[in-house]
Amino acid sequence: MGLTEEQKEFQKVAFDFAAREMAPHMAEWDEKEVFPVETMRRAALLGFGGIYVHPDVGGSGLSRLDTSIIFEALSTGCASTTAYMSIHNMCAWMVDTFGNEEQRHQFCPSLCSMEKFASYCLTEPGSGSDAASLLTSAKKSGDCYILNGSKAFISGGGDTDIYVVMCRTGGSGPKGISCIVVEKGTPGLSFGKKERKVGWNSQPTRAVIFEDCMVPVTNRLGAEGQGFNIAMSGLNGGRINIASCSLGAAHAAVLLTMDHISVRKQFGEPLAKNQYLQFKLAEMATRLVAARLMVRKAACSLQEGQSDAVALCSMAKLFATDECFAICNQAIQMHGGYGYLKDYAVQQFMRDIRVHQILEGTNEVMRMIVARSLLQD
């Protein structure tokens, strides 16, 4: 898919930022579990804090395709950090899209500048894939909601400022769910221990806990009962974003592999002379391009509001995250023993994108969504 001159320009800006500001620190952020706040704020100065948020509240006003191009490029520098930025962008978009004018102007400018950071709170200890069964409750009391319950696996949890929370204001099922913005420092809001993870170590993950947490009714996005639809709307774009992060990691892994097999010699000549490895490299590049085209097609479909957008987003997330993990895994194999050393970046790309097959809707749920769209009357 050909890019416009403008798209090529901000793709270059993102690639340059990734190479200069992210890649040199990627291993340290992983090893020391650093949440690189100042680096992300520098990215926000380039417009990457609210990429598809409207400009009147500080966003860049770019398209879903533009967003995918940017996240793919940034992920070549650090997939973990870019993945958090993609979640932050999704939250900012949800406020921009479903908030009223007062809410948009209250929350979006500081999110777009990344002066404040956001977390998306849907998953609970007892409801992962079955998100509509969530139990966190919000009982109305005067002009406030009183929240009780907990959220699990929350990216940025404890370190972020704005929590976009799906909670139950009505009966069971999806129609009883509303979306409420909870600000850090609200009495009754607390956090679990920082989780120890295989990858995604440059972003903290904690449980978010509500104990008689009192939030103004004016912090509800949209109408009561609209929360599940808001959550799913966010995730359609989120799935393109997370797939784009996988593309960037696989892109970087292919480049690293090309460099390695060109330099590494066995049996008296560079590994790049070995036809089997040439064919493997060709397959990796082909799968990467196929995945990229699928993600960009889904991004365009979502932007245009086409009827097949949800299915295409699910297909793209399923295909790209599976294929890109396989590419990174193959890259390790082609590095031999070096690929298993933490001195070599290829293993971190593999660890960081493994979770992309699980979150924002598992790839099994993606298959369910695609099958449902095919079989519906």
Side-chain angles (χ1 to χ4, degrees), residues 98-100 103 107 140 145 169 178-181 215-226 230:
F98 298 102
N100 57 36
Q103 291 167 332
F107 295 118
K140 199 180 254 186
Y145 286 108
T169 52
S178 298
C179 180
I180 297 174
V181 175
V215 183
V217 169
T218 52
N219 278 26
R220 187 189 69 228
L221 298 181
E224 278 202 1
Q226 196 185 350
I230 292 173

Side-chain angles (χ1 to χ4, degrees), residues 343-356:
D343 295 335
Y344 287 72
V346 68
Q347 52 74 35
Q348 188 176 332
F349 284 117
M350 184 270 290
R351 285 188 291 109
D352 280 341
I353 70 165
R354 176 61 184 86
V355 75
H356 297 187

Side-chain angles (χ1 to χ4, degrees), residues 178-335:
S178 298
C179 180
I180 297 174
V181 175
V182 182
E183 297 177 74
K184 191 176 186 179
T186 303
L189 172 66
S190 63
F191 307 97
K193 66 174 176 57
K194 187 175 172 182
E195 305 289 1
R196 298 174 63 238
K197 306 190 298 289
V198 170
W200 269 32
N201 289 318
S202 69
Q203 48 169 301
T205 302
R206 293 184 179 91
V208 177
I209 302 158
F210 307 97
E211 296 170 295
D212 291 333
C213 181
M214 195 173 288
V215 183
V217 169
T218 52
N219 278 26
R220 187 189 69 228
L221 298 181
E224 278 202 1
Q226 196 185 350
F228 192 74
N229 288 339
I230 292 173
M232 293 304 108
S233 296
L235 282 179
N236 286 328
R239 286 162 184 162
I240 293 171
N241 295 345
I242 217 70
S244 303
C245 293
S246 288
L247 292 174
H251 181 142
V254 169
L255 294 177
L256 290 168
T257 303
M258 287 164 55
D259 289 344
H260 181 77
I261 65 173
S262 297
V263 173
R264 173 73 170 160
K265 288 186 176 179
Q266 286 292 280
F267 306 105
E269 60 182 9
L271 292 177
K273 297 282 189 185
N274 181 295
Q275 191 179 51
Y276 175 80
L277 295 180
Q278 291 174 3
F279 283 9
K280 277 293 178 188
L281 190 65
E283 288 170 14
M284 290 159 72
T286 301
R287 290 155 79 178
L288 172 59
V289 171
R292 180 184 292 134
L293 290 172
M294 202 165 184
V295 171
R296 292 183 180 177
K297 166 65 178 170
C300 292
S301 180
L302 185 63
Q303 182 70 35
E304 294 161 12
Q306 294 177 4
S307 59
D308 61 354
V310 173
L312 285 175
C313 289
S314 300
M315 287 179 182
K317 196 266 186 185
L318 165 64
F319 186 80
T321 59
D322 278 355
E323 288 298 316
C324 291
F325 178 77
I327 289 166
C328 290
N329 203 33
Q330 181 61 41
I332 289 177
Q333 190 70 20
M334 291 168 72
H335 275 73

Side-chain angles (χ1 to χ4, degrees), residues 52-53 64 87-100 103-104 108 111 119-122 164-166 179-181 221-222 227-235:
Y52 52 110
V53 171
R64 301 293 187 154
I87 295 166
H88 172 91
N89 270 263
M90 178 176 72
C91 291
W93 174 83
M94 290 166 72
V95 176
D96 181 38
T97 303
F98 298 102
N100 57 36
Q103 291 167 332
R104 292 177 67 243
C108 289
L111 291 176
S119 290
Y120 178 86
C121 302
L122 175 63
V164 181
V165 182
M166 311 313 141
C179 180
I180 297 174
V181 175
L221 298 181
F228 192 74
N229 288 339
I230 292 173
M232 293 304 108
S233 296
L235 282 179

Side-chain angles (χ1 to χ4, degrees), residues 3 7-16 69 73 296:
L3 303 184
Q7 287 168 337
K8 288 176 184 173
E9 187 57 39
F10 53 64
Q11 182 187 49
K12 182 181 185 303
V13 169
F15 270 131
D16 289 348
I69 292 163
R296 292 183 180 177

